[in-house]
Amino acid sequence: MEKLVITGGNRLHGTIKISGAKNAAVAIIPAVILSDGVCRLENIPDIEDVNIIDEILCKMGASVRHINENSLEIDPSGIEEPVATYDLVRHMRASCYLMGALLGKYLRADVALPGGCDFGVRPVDQHLKGFGILGAKHIVEDDMIKIKANKLTGNHIYLDVVSVGATVNVMLAAVKAEGRTTIENAAREPHIVDLANFLNSMGADVRGAGTDVIKINGVKTLRGTTYSIIPDQIEAGTYMAAVCSAGGDVVIQNVIPKHLESITAKLREMGVTIEEFDDSVRVVSSGRLKRCNVTTMPHPGFPTDMQPQIAALLSTADGTSIVNEAVWDNRFRYVDELRRMGADISVDGSLAIIRGIERLTGAPVKATDLRAGAAMIVAALGAKGTTQIEDIRHIQRGYENVVGKLSSVGADISLIKTNESMKQA
Ligand code: EPZ
């Protein structure tokens, strides 16, 4: 077992380079299935979720060649069966994108139901609604979603909820459908735009990504391409929060400032100085942060994937803050871990009421999910004493080289291996 050990109190100085976007990579890699040629993907983050989706494609028969730690070459022509069984997909929610990619290419997809998630139910009703409107039928049998269509015909799809996953999956199923598909109430996240740009680089005809209406004219074939994915807005936001927690002056390099607008606005409201440049932001923080209220929204609102991290910051802000998690039903499991560090937080439904204290105190805590783990790191960097974070496999799913990146700006952070037997003794 491994855990992170962080001793708070060091102010951070220097530059942190942001990796490619996890949520773009886990959508674009399955999208390669739609191609009739070989695709080369660059700026791919070296994280567990990417390794898992690569392994799934390999086990299905595709060839995935790692050119270096951040570049892949994928040839999907070896895929024989559009089937992804539970043993392949159980580790990762984003494997549900295989449904749209396999259906779009083979008019058939048998994909195991997405694994349970760390916070609440992860439904796919809108995904299936979109497939149905395009002409597919599905059954659920033996924990598998089995979808097939004689043909896919473009149509008008109105998503009942703004869903990143449903928007991605309908795009993947529609790019080779006959005729025009319109997706209304579409998600507008940067990774949706990145997926559309990737599909268009293969010869698709996707317009309007980044707005709430996406129009897709189906094409017959999609060619191989070379594509570099966007930087990760949530990784960037996480390190911005880390600087605010520890204090310091750090340049976050390789970002698209526009993707960070809601995060930057919120941190400025909390008293942080943030300078924006073409592909970087400089974060300068000292002294106690101001309290504020946060409501998570689909992009361009404040991202739910930054909710635990901002709550960790507000735990030591001057005053009482309210965080409203308006996207997920139950994304406050990390609060118990923050309480172990002394945080004064009460949760009532979708609201967390955070009464800021002077300073958190290091303690042994767990990463209950990916962003909760990130919040523990943010909290630990500003806490008094040492924090040990267990279950860091969650963090490794979405953050490339977190120890190296934080150490390089002066954080006292290390990864230690614990001998499980010694622990049990
Ligand atoms: C994506 O999850 C992200 N994951 C999540 O990031 C992120 O929290 C979420 O979008 C919101 O931005 C990936 O991109 C791999 P949704 P997704 O469909 O697609 C409801 C991280 O930390 N809904 O946008 O699963 C759903 O219950 C991860 O990187 C339906 O009701 O999220 C939720 O309340 C965690 N029916 C809301 O919509 C559906 O068919 C938004 O979910 C689909 C979703």
Side-chain angles (χ1 to χ4, degrees):
M1 179 104 116
E2 293 177 319
K3 59 184 172 184
L4 285 176
V5 179
I6 299 172
T7 299
N10 293 8
R11 291 173 62 79
L12 306 181
H13 291 276
T15 298
I16 291 178
K17 187 174 180 302
I18 297 304
S19 302
K22 168 181 87 78
N23 291 345
V26 297
I28 288 171
I29 293 171
V32 170
I33 291 170
L34 290 158
S35 167
D36 293 326
V38 176
C39 292
R40 179 181 172 126
L41 303 178
E42 296 174 347
N43 199 35
I44 294 288
D46 182 12
I47 55 175
E48 200 44 34
D49 268 12
V50 165
N51 298 336
I52 293 172
I53 202 86
D54 291 349
E55 193 187 329
I56 292 172
L57 287 192
C58 286
K59 289 189 175 170
M60 292 175 69
S63 85
V64 179
R65 187 166 74 85
H66 284 258
I67 299 161
N68 59 48
E69 64 185 8
N70 298 119
S71 300
L72 298 175
E73 198 167 77
I74 304 175
D75 177 355
S77 60
I79 293 177
E80 280 147 13
E81 275 290 286
V83 177
T85 54
Y86 184 68
D87 64 306
L88 292 180
V89 304
R90 63 202 174 104
H91 293 302
M92 197 177 72
R93 156 86 186 167
S95 39
C96 71
Y97 295 151
L98 291 166
M99 293 193 290
L102 293 171
L103 181 66
K105 176 76 173 281
Y106 304 104
L107 297 178
R108 190 188 136 208
D110 291 2
V111 179
L113 284 165
C117 193
D118 317 296
F119 45 85
V121 175
R122 302 289 287 271
V124 290
D125 57 292
Q126 297 299 304
H127 304 230
L128 298 172
K129 170 184 170 181
F131 297 152
I133 293 173
L134 294 174
K137 299 257 182 287
H138 79 273
I139 57 167
V140 178
E141 194 175 67
D142 313 328
D143 276 352
M144 298 279 285
I145 298 180
K146 299 183 176 181
I147 314 165
K148 67 180 172 186
N150 298 327
K151 73 173 184 173
L152 294 170
T153 309
N155 209 322
H156 192 281
I157 296 160
Y158 181 85
L159 296 177
D160 299 328
V161 288
V162 177
S163 160
V164 168
T167 303
V168 167
N169 252 335
V170 171
M171 287 166 75
L172 297 177
V175 279
K176 294 185 75 177
E178 209 170 279
R180 164 171 283 200
T181 295
T182 302
I183 308 172
E184 284 223 50
N185 204 23
R188 301 165 56 185
E189 272 67 7
H191 28 290
I192 298 286
V193 178
D194 212 24
L195 173 65
N197 291 339
F198 168 70
L199 292 169
N200 288 339
S201 79
M202 291 201 286
D205 180 356
V206 182
R207 302 160 198 232
T211 74
D212 60 353
V213 180
I214 298 176
K215 294 188 188 313
I216 300 169
N217 294 310
V219 295
K220 289 222 177 306
T221 61
L222 292 169
R223 57 181 179 271
T225 185
T226 295
Y227 189 79
S228 181
I229 73 168
I230 54 170
D232 194 315
Q233 67 170 150
I234 304 301
E235 185 196 14
T238 301
Y239 288 118
M240 292 166 78
V243 180
C244 299
S245 175
D249 180 345
V250 172
V251 173
I252 313 285
Q253 181 64 42
N254 188 34
V255 300
I256 298 172
K258 179 139 185 64
H259 292 171
L260 304 174
E261 275 179 345
S262 61
I263 301 167
T264 299
K266 203 40 80 175
L267 294 179
R268 281 174 171 157
E269 191 183 333
M270 294 164 69
V272 181
T273 302
I274 298 176
E275 277 180 274
E276 293 173 318
F277 304 96
D278 287 348
D279 63 353
S280 62
V281 291
R282 181 181 173 204
V283 182
V284 184
S285 179
S286 58
R288 198 165 182 196
L289 298 174
K290 296 176 189 152
R291 50 83 45 212
C292 73
N293 293 336
V294 180
T295 295
T296 63
M297 307 279 284
H299 193 78
F302 189 87
T304 174
D305 294 345
M306 277 295 299
Q307 183 262 95
Q309 298 92 308
I310 203 94
L313 281 186
L314 292 169
S315 300
T316 57
D318 184 10
T320 297
S321 306
I322 296 176
V323 172
N324 178 12
E325 174 51 64
V327 173
W328 292 106
D329 289 342
N330 166 25
R331 197 171 194 172
F332 289 123
R333 283 182 55 202
Y334 66 89
V335 167
D336 286 340
E337 303 304 311
L338 281 181
R339 285 189 184 123
R340 294 168 54 80
M341 299 177 74
D344 179 357
I345 305 177
S346 51
V347 173
D348 175 11
S350 73
L351 301 183
I353 295 92
I354 305 174
R355 280 167 291 278
I357 63 169
E358 276 291 326
R359 197 171 178 198
L360 295 172
T361 304
V365 294
K366 285 197 309 293
T368 54
D369 68 64
L370 167 59
R371 307 304 176 182
M376 295 306 116
I377 293 173
V378 168
L381 289 167
K384 189 168 53 245
T386 298
T387 298
Q388 302 200 357
I389 305 174
E390 291 195 352
D391 294 344
I392 60 165
R393 69 191 185 290
H394 290 298
I395 299 171
Q396 291 162 332
R397 279 188 46 212
Y399 289 92
E400 179 178 337
N401 188 22
V402 64
V403 173
K405 292 189 180 188
L406 283 172
S407 304
S408 73
V409 291
D412 181 347
I413 178 172
S414 53
L415 179 70
I416 64 164
K417 295 188 189 308
T418 54
N419 175 333
E420 200 48 25
S421 52
M422 197 167 72
K423 237 171 78 82
Q424 282 153 5

